Each structure stands twice: as C-alpha cells, then as structure tokens.
Amino acid sequence: MLLHFLFSDPNVAYKFHVWKPVGDSIIAYLNNIKRTNEIDPYNLSMENFGDDEKWKSPLYVGIHFFDIMISSALHKNLQWHMWVYYFPIFIEKILKNDSLTVDAINSSNEFKTRYHYIINEIIYVLTRNIRAVLEISEQKNTKLESIGPKHENGNIPKSCMIALEQCLFRIGSHETIYSGVYKNATTATFSLYFDLCQGKETKKYAQTLKLILEKNIDPQKSKTHTNRLVEAFESFDKTPYKDEHVKEFRKWLNEKTK
C-alpha cells in the first residue's frame, strides 16, 4: 500500500522527498555495520543471499526502493533525477567496508560476497534506466538538452549516466576490489554504449555517455582506474557489435589514456 501511495503517481514521492530518509538510512547503516558486527555479514560468501535472504537485508531493500522510485519517475515522465546520486555514495561506503573473507575467496559463486552482489545490483539499476531511452526517447524527461557531461536534472537517463560514471570511477580506483566486480560493471557499461550506438535517436546518448566517462579517464588522475578500464575493454566481447563502432571507441580510449 505504501509503495502504491508513493509511486503510482511519482509526484507524491517527489513532494515528500522520500529518497532522503531512505538514502540517509542506508548511509548510516553502512557506517554503523562494522561497529555493531564483529564480522561484516556482507563480506561473507553468497550462500542463499541471492534468493530469499536478500529481502531481509536493509541494504538490498533500500537499493530496491530506489530502483522502484527511479523507474516509476522515468516511465511516468517526471522531470527530476530522484536523487540517483545517492548510488555513488552507497558504492563509496560499501568499498570502505569491502574485505574478502576466506570462505568468500574460495567460493565458486559469480559474486564472491554479498557486497559484490549489491554493487552489481546498483550498476544494473543505473544501466537499465539509461537503456530505457531505446524505447522512450520521445519523453520530456529523456530529451537531451546537450551532448556532454553537463547536468540536466530533469533528464533521468542522463542523471543515471553521471551516477554510473561516478560509481565506475570509485570501483576502478579501489585498489583491493575483487577484479570480477569491475569487470561486471564495465561489461554492462560497454554493452550499454554499443547498444545506444545502434539507434538513430540514441546515438547522441552514446556520445554523451562517452563524454561523461571521459571525466576520470586520466592516467595522472587515477592510474588504477584508467589501466583497469583499458584492460576491461580489451577483454570485453565485442563480437555482437559493429566493427566501426568498436574501432571508433578503441581509438578514442587510446587517445584519452596516452
């Protein structure tokens, strides 16, 4: 009933700024988790977390709340970013807590820990709401005012692009993060970029994403992130995509990482 009240008309969620109590609670939860737990439960291996157990997690439920809120606002043409910019803060807090346990290291699961699963969920929420422009590019809240990294608060997909880049930079710059986490995040991002290149109306979104990614591609600024991004692109499966788009992206990436 509460979700229906807030999101059947997303203007209600906007009016009450519902992102703030939820977002601030997630931040406080991540800040406090090590002080209240001898062993951080999110650094444990997945086990059954990806099934029913995740619904007992305040962190996962909070992320899912943001997912519903942002998707509802997007598809009902609300012109506000719904504070998708909480996601990079969540990522930053998660990375501060991230530490592989022995059982997680030995796990054969795709996601070594529950934190890794949550990170993947955040990237999925962001890329999915950007990818929506492939179907709803004519809405007011998906119309680009400009191609480039400039904020457009009324454009939800562009706001998600900016948040996505901030998340990628934090993950890629984190020295001890499990390599599979960054690989999954960049694979989702590269796939998104090349899919946007395919559409006549969405090419400008592909260009915008590339220019947003450019912000932190700089060996002098973050050698770790830049090197990891290049390595991730070289190992990324480019087979499904047009050769001209792949060559153009590689040329651009090489120029930016010299």
Coordinates of all heavy atoms in Angstrom, one line a residue, residues 184-229:
N184 N 32.3 -6.9 -14.3 CA 30.9 -6.9 -14.5 C 30.3 -5.5 -14.8 O 29.5 -5.3 -15.6 CB 30.2 -7.5 -13.3 CG 30.3 -9.0 -13.2 OD1 30.7 -9.7 -14.1 ND2 30.1 -9.6 -12.0
A185 N 30.9 -4.6 -14.0 CA 30.4 -3.2 -14.1 C 30.7 -2.6 -15.5 O 29.9 -1.9 -16.1 CB 30.9 -2.3 -13.0
T186 N 32.0 -2.8 -15.9 CA 32.4 -2.3 -17.2 C 31.7 -3.0 -18.4 O 31.4 -2.4 -19.4 CB 33.9 -2.3 -17.4 OG1 34.4 -3.7 -17.1 CG2 34.6 -1.3 -16.5
T187 N 31.5 -4.3 -18.2 CA 30.8 -5.1 -19.3 C 29.4 -4.5 -19.5 O 29.0 -4.3 -20.6 CB 30.7 -6.6 -18.9 OG1 32.0 -7.1 -18.9 CG2 29.9 -7.3 -19.9
A188 N 28.7 -4.2 -18.4 CA 27.4 -3.6 -18.5 C 27.4 -2.3 -19.2 O 26.5 -1.9 -20.0 CB 26.7 -3.5 -17.1
T189 N 28.4 -1.5 -18.9 CA 28.6 -0.2 -19.4 C 28.9 -0.2 -20.9 O 28.3 0.6 -21.7 CB 29.7 0.6 -18.6 OG1 29.3 0.6 -17.3 CG2 29.8 2.1 -19.2
F190 N 29.9 -1.0 -21.3 CA 30.3 -1.1 -22.7 C 29.1 -1.6 -23.5 O 28.8 -1.1 -24.6 CB 31.5 -2.1 -22.9 CG 32.7 -1.6 -22.3 CD1 33.6 -2.4 -21.7 CD2 33.1 -0.2 -22.3 CE1 34.8 -2.0 -21.1 CE2 34.2 0.3 -21.7 CZ 35.1 -0.6 -21.1
S191 N 28.4 -2.6 -23.0 CA 27.2 -3.2 -23.8 C 26.2 -2.1 -24.0 O 25.6 -2.0 -25.0 CB 26.6 -4.3 -23.0 OG 27.5 -5.4 -22.9
L192 N 25.9 -1.3 -22.9 CA 25.0 -0.2 -23.0 C 25.4 0.8 -24.1 O 24.6 1.2 -24.9 CB 24.9 0.5 -21.6 CG 24.2 1.8 -21.6 CD1 22.7 1.6 -21.9 CD2 24.4 2.5 -20.2
Y193 N 26.7 1.2 -24.1 CA 27.2 2.1 -25.0 C 27.0 1.7 -26.5 O 26.5 2.4 -27.3 CB 28.7 2.4 -24.8 CG 29.3 3.2 -25.9 CD1 29.2 4.6 -25.9 CD2 30.0 2.6 -26.9 CE1 29.7 5.4 -27.0 CE2 30.6 3.4 -28.0 CZ 30.4 4.7 -28.0 OH 31.0 5.5 -29.0
F194 N 27.4 0.4 -26.8 CA 27.3 0.0 -28.1 C 25.8 -0.3 -28.6 O 25.5 -0.1 -29.7 CB 28.1 -1.3 -28.3 CG 29.6 -1.1 -28.3 CD1 30.4 -1.6 -27.3 CD2 30.1 -0.2 -29.3 CE1 31.7 -1.3 -27.3 CE2 31.5 0.0 -29.3 CZ 32.3 -0.5 -28.3
D195 N 24.9 -0.6 -27.6 CA 23.5 -0.7 -27.9 C 22.9 0.7 -28.3 O 22.1 0.8 -29.2 CB 22.8 -1.3 -26.8 CG 23.0 -2.8 -26.7 OD1 23.5 -3.4 -27.6 OD2 22.7 -3.4 -25.6
L196 N 23.4 1.7 -27.5 CA 22.9 3.1 -27.8 C 23.4 3.5 -29.2 O 22.7 4.3 -29.8 CB 23.4 4.0 -26.7 CG 22.8 3.8 -25.3 CD1 23.5 4.7 -24.3 CD2 21.3 4.1 -25.4
C197 N 24.6 3.1 -29.6 CA 25.1 3.4 -30.9 C 24.3 2.9 -32.0 O 24.3 3.5 -33.1 CB 26.5 2.9 -31.1 SG 27.8 3.7 -30.2
Q198 N 23.5 1.9 -31.8 CA 22.7 1.2 -32.9 C 21.5 2.1 -33.3 O 21.1 2.0 -34.5 CB 22.2 -0.1 -32.4 CG 23.3 -1.1 -31.9 CD 24.2 -1.6 -33.0 OE1 23.8 -1.6 -34.2 NE2 25.4 -2.1 -32.7
G199 N 21.0 2.8 -32.4 CA 19.7 3.5 -32.7 C 19.9 4.9 -33.2 O 20.8 5.6 -32.8
K200 N 19.1 5.3 -34.2 CA 19.3 6.6 -34.8 C 19.0 7.7 -33.8 O 19.7 8.7 -33.8 CB 18.3 6.7 -36.0 CG 18.3 8.0 -36.7 CD 17.3 8.1 -37.9 CE 17.4 9.4 -38.6 NZ 16.4 9.5 -39.7
E201 N 18.0 7.5 -32.9 CA 17.7 8.5 -32.0 C 18.5 8.5 -30.7 O 18.5 9.4 -29.9 CB 16.2 8.4 -31.6 CG 15.2 8.6 -32.7 CD 15.3 10.1 -33.2 OE1 15.4 11.0 -32.3 OE2 15.2 10.3 -34.4
T202 N 19.3 7.4 -30.5 CA 20.0 7.2 -29.3 C 21.5 7.3 -29.5 O 22.3 7.2 -28.5 CB 19.7 5.8 -28.6 OG1 20.0 4.8 -29.6 CG2 18.3 5.8 -28.2
K203 N 22.0 7.6 -30.7 CA 23.4 7.8 -30.9 C 24.0 9.0 -30.1 O 25.1 8.9 -29.5 CB 23.7 8.1 -32.4 CG 23.7 6.8 -33.2 CD 24.0 7.2 -34.7 CE 24.0 5.9 -35.6 NZ 24.3 6.2 -37.0
K204 N 23.2 10.0 -29.9 CA 23.6 11.1 -29.1 C 23.8 10.8 -27.7 O 24.6 11.4 -26.9 CB 22.7 12.3 -29.3 CG 21.2 12.1 -29.0 CD 20.4 13.3 -29.4 CE 18.9 13.0 -29.2 NZ 18.0 14.1 -29.6
Y205 N 23.0 9.8 -27.2 CA 23.1 9.3 -25.9 C 24.4 8.5 -25.7 O 25.1 8.6 -24.7 CB 21.9 8.4 -25.5 CG 20.9 9.1 -24.6 CD1 19.7 9.6 -25.2 CD2 21.2 9.4 -23.3 CE1 18.8 10.3 -24.4 CE2 20.3 10.1 -22.5 CZ 19.1 10.5 -23.1 OH 18.2 11.2 -22.3
A206 N 24.8 7.8 -26.7 CA 26.1 7.1 -26.7 C 27.2 8.1 -26.7 O 28.2 7.9 -25.9 CB 26.2 6.2 -28.0
Q207 N 27.1 9.1 -27.4 CA 28.2 10.2 -27.4 C 28.2 10.8 -26.0 O 29.3 11.1 -25.5 CB 27.8 11.3 -28.4 CG 28.0 10.8 -29.9 CD 27.5 11.9 -30.8 OE1 26.3 12.1 -31.1 NE2 28.5 12.6 -31.3
T208 N 27.1 11.1 -25.4 CA 27.0 11.7 -24.1 C 27.7 10.8 -23.1 O 28.4 11.2 -22.2 CB 25.6 12.0 -23.7 OG1 25.1 13.0 -24.7 CG2 25.5 12.6 -22.3
L209 N 27.3 9.5 -23.1 CA 27.9 8.5 -22.2 C 29.5 8.5 -22.3 O 30.2 8.5 -21.3 CB 27.4 7.1 -22.4 CG 27.9 6.0 -21.6 CD1 27.7 6.3 -20.1 CD2 27.3 4.7 -21.9
K210 N 29.9 8.5 -23.5 CA 31.4 8.5 -23.7 C 32.1 9.8 -23.1 O 33.1 9.7 -22.5 CB 31.7 8.4 -25.2 CG 33.1 8.2 -25.5 CD 33.3 7.8 -27.0 CE 32.9 8.9 -27.9 NZ 33.2 8.6 -29.3
L211 N 31.4 10.9 -23.3 CA 32.0 12.2 -22.8 C 31.9 12.2 -21.3 O 32.7 12.9 -20.6 CB 31.2 13.4 -23.4 CG 31.5 13.6 -24.9 CD1 30.6 14.6 -25.5 CD2 33.0 14.0 -25.2
I212 N 30.9 11.6 -20.7 CA 30.8 11.5 -19.3 C 31.9 10.6 -18.7 O 32.5 10.9 -17.7 CB 29.4 11.0 -18.8 CG1 28.3 12.1 -19.1 CG2 29.3 10.7 -17.4 CD1 26.9 11.7 -19.0
L213 N 32.1 9.5 -19.4 CA 33.2 8.6 -18.9 C 34.5 9.2 -19.0 O 35.4 8.9 -18.2 CB 33.2 7.3 -19.8 CG 32.0 6.3 -19.7 CD1 32.1 5.3 -20.7 CD2 31.9 5.7 -18.3
E214 N 34.7 10.1 -19.9 CA 36.0 10.8 -20.2 C 36.5 11.6 -18.9 O 37.7 11.8 -18.8 CB 35.8 11.8 -21.4 CG 37.1 12.4 -21.9 CD 36.8 13.2 -23.1 OE1 36.3 12.6 -24.1 OE2 37.1 14.4 -23.1
K215 N 35.5 12.0 -18.1 CA 35.9 12.9 -17.0 C 37.0 12.3 -16.1 O 37.9 13.0 -15.7 CB 34.6 13.1 -16.1 CG 34.9 13.9 -14.9 CD 33.7 14.1 -14.0 CE 34.0 14.9 -12.8 NZ 32.8 15.0 -11.9
N216 N 37.0 11.0 -15.8 CA 38.0 10.4 -15.0 C 38.9 9.4 -15.7 O 39.6 8.6 -15.0 CB 37.3 9.8 -13.8 CG 36.8 10.8 -12.7 OD1 37.6 11.7 -12.3 ND2 35.6 10.7 -12.4
I217 N 39.0 9.5 -17.0 CA 39.9 8.7 -17.7 C 41.2 9.5 -17.9 O 41.3 10.3 -18.8 CB 39.4 8.2 -19.1 CG1 38.1 7.4 -18.9 CG2 40.4 7.4 -19.9 CD1 37.5 7.0 -20.2
D218 N 42.1 9.3 -17.0 CA 43.3 10.1 -17.0 C 44.4 9.4 -16.1 O 44.2 9.3 -14.9 CB 43.0 11.5 -16.4 CG 44.3 12.4 -16.4 OD1 45.4 12.0 -16.7 OD2 44.1 13.6 -16.1
P219 N 45.5 8.9 -16.8 CA 46.5 8.2 -16.0 C 47.1 9.0 -14.9 O 47.5 8.5 -13.9 CB 47.6 7.9 -17.1 CG 46.8 7.9 -18.4 CD 45.8 9.0 -18.2
Q220 N 47.1 10.4 -15.0 CA 47.6 11.2 -14.0 C 46.7 11.3 -12.8 O 47.1 11.5 -11.6 CB 47.9 12.6 -14.5 CG 48.9 12.6 -15.7 CD 50.2 12.0 -15.4 OE1 50.8 12.2 -14.3 NE2 50.7 11.2 -16.3
K221 N 45.4 11.2 -13.1 CA 44.4 11.4 -12.0 C 44.1 10.1 -11.3 O 44.0 10.1 -10.1 CB 43.1 11.9 -12.7 CG 42.0 12.3 -11.7 CD 40.9 13.0 -12.5 CE 39.9 13.6 -11.5 NZ 38.8 14.3 -12.2
S222 N 44.0 9.0 -12.0 CA 43.8 7.7 -11.4 C 44.3 6.6 -12.3 O 43.7 6.1 -13.2 CB 42.3 7.4 -11.1 OG 42.1 6.1 -10.6
K223 N 45.6 6.3 -12.1 CA 46.2 5.3 -13.0 C 45.5 3.9 -12.8 O 45.4 3.2 -13.8 CB 47.7 5.1 -12.6 CG 48.5 4.3 -13.5 CD 50.0 4.3 -13.1 CE 50.8 3.4 -14.1 NZ 52.3 3.5 -13.7
T224 N 45.1 3.6 -11.6 CA 44.5 2.3 -11.4 C 43.2 2.2 -12.2 O 43.0 1.2 -12.9 CB 44.2 2.1 -9.9 OG1 45.4 2.2 -9.1 CG2 43.5 0.7 -9.6
H225 N 42.3 3.2 -12.1 CA 41.1 3.1 -12.8 C 41.3 3.1 -14.3 O 40.7 2.4 -15.0 CB 40.2 4.3 -12.4 CG 39.0 4.6 -13.3 ND1 38.0 3.7 -13.4 CD2 38.7 5.6 -14.1 CE1 37.1 4.2 -14.2 NE2 37.5 5.3 -14.7
T226 N 42.2 4.0 -14.8 CA 42.4 4.1 -16.2 C 43.0 2.8 -16.8 O 42.5 2.3 -17.8 CB 43.4 5.2 -16.5 OG1 42.8 6.5 -16.0 CG2 43.6 5.4 -18.0
N227 N 43.9 2.2 -16.1 CA 44.5 0.9 -16.6 C 43.5 -0.2 -16.6 O 43.4 -1.0 -17.5 CB 45.7 0.5 -15.8 CG 46.9 1.4 -16.0 OD1 46.9 2.2 -17.0 ND2 47.9 1.4 -15.1
R228 N 42.7 -0.2 -15.5 CA 41.6 -1.3 -15.5 C 40.6 -1.1 -16.5 O 40.1 -2.1 -17.1 CB 41.0 -1.2 -14.1 CG 41.8 -1.9 -13.0 CD 41.1 -1.7 -11.6 NE 41.8 -2.5 -10.6 CZ 41.5 -2.4 -9.3 NH1 40.5 -1.6 -8.9 NH2 42.1 -3.2 -8.4
L229 N 40.3 0.1 -16.9 CA 39.3 0.4 -17.9 C 39.8 -0.1 -19.3 O 39.0 -0.7 -20.0 CB 38.9 1.9 -18.0 CG 37.8 2.2 -18.9 CD1 36.4 1.7 -18.3 CD2 37.7 3.8 -19.1

